[in-house]
Each structure stands twice: as structure tokens, then as C-alpha cells.
Amino acid sequence: MDALVDLLSYDFLRNAVWAALLASVLCGVLGTLVVVKRLVFISGGLSHAAFGGLGVCYFLGVEPLLGAAAVAVVAALALAGTGDRRSRSEDAVIGILWAVGMAVGMVFIARTPGYGPDLASYLFGNILTVERSGVVWTLGFTAVVMALLVLFFKELVAVGFDEEYARVQGVPVGAFRNLLLVLVALAVVLLLRLVGILLVLALLTIPPVAALALSRSLAGVMALSTVIGAVVSLGGIWLSYLLDLPSGPCIVLLGALLLIFVRGGRALALRRARARRGGAQASVPEPP
């Protein structure tokens, strides 16, 4: 315990802990809607497409995250327009955005005079290098997302589960689908430099999938997903310190192990419940 207190006396580690907690809240809330609405592939495409805008702005000497945010939002709105006609062609568009965005970003960064940024930091991230400004921006965006969730919870749930039913109830489906994708795009870009593309996708998917096996209500899944994300993130940081390993892969692998444990325990509980029901039915005597 004393060693943990000593570690938290360092600013960089406190920033990492705050970033992990905020990322857990952000990904726990938005990730639940992403998983329920099957937007994981779109989220991956947006994150890689944003890398193109990041590279262009780096070449122009402009704040890279501004370009990444602009490209991600434009791509999100373009993909939202195809929401009513999902098909293999849409998957192809996402794949093209994924590949072209990465290629454009790498080309412009390579053509920038001087030393280029560490591309691995955008892919895998390093949560231990998070600055205080990044924590503040993440806190502000998380507050905005939570406020929108409180204001439009029923509408977002309706659009997430059944767009046809939501449309019959008078919900402006297109507007809320656009809002959801824009929020996901901005969250991905904001967390891009903090934790990297791969860890963003892991936090958007692993905790919600695990929470869906343990809770039935959407609010419960969001809350549980946030808790799981926090446990996995902080546990991964601690393991990376103990084992002298990169923090990002430790967080992802710990999350994968937790998901296997939860899903396996859920499957075992269901099997035992079916066995008990079968035994109870067999013990009932047949009527004469």
C-alpha cells in the first residue's frame, strides 16, 4: 500500500489514473450504445480515417487533433446517411476509409520536414504520458456526453435498439443517429492521443460485452461497463508497473481475460440452471 501511495505522488501517474477513469466512463456509456447498435466496425473505421486528418494538419503546422476531429465528424455524418440501407457496400466504404485514412496520414507525416511524431503512440498509445491538458479536455467532453445522455436517454435507447419502433413513436431517428456517431467520432479522436487507437476500440467493446452478460437493463449495462473499464484500466496500469510492460497491451489483455471469465461463468451458470430444471421435471410423477 505504501508503494502505491508513493507512486501516486508522481504527477504523470495521477494523470494516467484520471485519464483511465474518464476513458472508462466515456467508453462505458458510448461503448454500450456502440455494441448494442453494432457500430464497432464503424468506430474502427472512424478512428483510422481520422488519422488522415491528423497527418495533414501535422504537415500544415496546425493542431493535429483538429484535423482528426474534422475528418472523423465528416466521415461519421457520411456513414450515418447510409444507416437505413446497411449492406456489404457500406462495409466496403468503411474498409476504404480505414485504409485510405491511415495511408494519407502516414504520407503527410513522412513528407513533413524535421522529425516526425512517433506513429506507434497513436496506434498503441501510452497512457503514462498523458498531460494535464488532455485530462481536462476529456473531463469536459465526458461532462457533455453525460448531460446529453440524461436529456435524451429514452431517444438514444429507442434508436439504439429499434429504429423502426423509434420512428413510429415520433423520435427523429436520423438526428439521434447522427448525434450518436458524432459523439463516438469525437470520443475516439479525443482518446486517440491519450490511449491510442487499439485501446480505444478495446475499451469501447470489451467492457460493454462483459456487462451485457451480467445485466439486463441498458442503464445497468452502462454503469457496469464503466466499472469494468475502470478495473481493467487501473489493473492494467498496475500490472505494467509490476511486470515492466507497456500499459496499453496489459489493459487490453486483462480485459480479454476478464471477458473470458465472465462469459465462461455465464455459460456455466446457464448450463447448471437448465440441468436443474431438467432434473425437476424428471422427478414429477406422471398422472395416472
Side-chain angles (χ1 to χ4, degrees):
M1 181 62 68
D2 292 337
L4 180 60
V5 173
D6 291 339
L7 283 175
L8 291 177
S9 64
Y10 294 103
D11 286 339
F12 79 93
L13 195 57
R14 287 201 301 269
N15 291 338
V17 169
W18 279 113
L21 292 176
L22 291 172
S24 300
V25 174
L26 201 53
C27 293
V29 171
L30 292 178
T32 299
L33 295 173
V34 165
V35 170
V36 168
K37 198 163 174 56
R38 296 179 175 88
L39 299 177
V40 176
F41 190 40
I42 290 180
S43 302
L46 292 176
S47 64
H48 287 77
F51 193 79
L54 186 147
V56 172
C57 283
Y58 188 83
F59 176 80
L60 296 176
V62 182
E63 170 56 41
L65 289 185
L66 292 178
V71 171
V73 169
V74 170
L77 293 175
L79 291 172
T82 64
D84 292 329
R85 50 183 186 278
R86 284 187 59 85
S87 63
R88 286 177 295 181
S89 62
E90 180 187 306
D91 291 338
V93 171
I94 298 172
I96 292 170
L97 286 174
W98 191 306
V100 172
M102 290 297 296
V104 169
M106 294 179 70
V107 166
F108 275 91
I109 289 176
R111 298 299 299 173
T112 302
Y115 293 100
D118 182 13
L119 298 182
S121 65
Y122 290 102
L123 293 175
F124 301 100
N126 188 353
I127 199 170
L128 297 178
T129 63
V130 174
E131 298 178 354
R132 179 60 59 86
S133 60
V135 175
V136 172
W137 276 103
T138 307
L139 176 61
F141 184 70
T142 302
V144 171
V145 170
M146 296 304 295
L148 290 173
L149 182 68
V150 171
L151 290 173
F152 304 113
F153 183 77
K154 292 182 179 180
E155 290 83 354
L156 289 171
V157 170
V159 172
F161 277 102
D162 191 339
E163 290 190 3
E164 292 300 325
Y165 174 77
R167 189 174 287 108
V168 170
Q169 296 298 312
V171 177
V173 172
F176 281 101
R177 185 172 58 232
N178 291 349
L179 174 64
L180 176 58
L181 282 177
V182 168
L183 290 178
V184 171
L186 292 176
V188 166
V189 170
L190 185 62
L191 297 175
L192 190 65
R193 187 180 291 177
L194 269 66
V195 296
I197 293 175
L198 297 182
L199 187 51
V200 170
L201 294 179
L203 290 177
L204 280 173
T205 53
I206 292 177
V209 171
L212 282 168
L214 301 174
S215 179
R216 293 181 179 273
S217 69
L218 193 66
V221 172
M222 288 180 177
L224 191 55
S225 175
T226 299
V227 173
I228 293 173
V231 170
V232 168
S233 299
L234 297 179
I237 293 174
W238 180 244
L239 283 177
S240 70
Y241 168 75
L242 293 178
L243 304 177
D244 192 23
L245 292 172
S247 55
C250 285
I251 294 173
V252 173
L253 292 177
L254 183 61
L257 289 175
L258 180 61
L259 178 60
I260 292 172
F261 176 77
V262 169
R263 301 287 289 192
R266 171 73 173 171
L268 182 61
L270 290 176
R271 187 178 303 172
R272 288 179 175 176
R274 285 195 295 267
R276 286 196 297 268
R277 288 198 299 268
Q281 292 175 358
S283 62
V284 175
E286 294 184 1

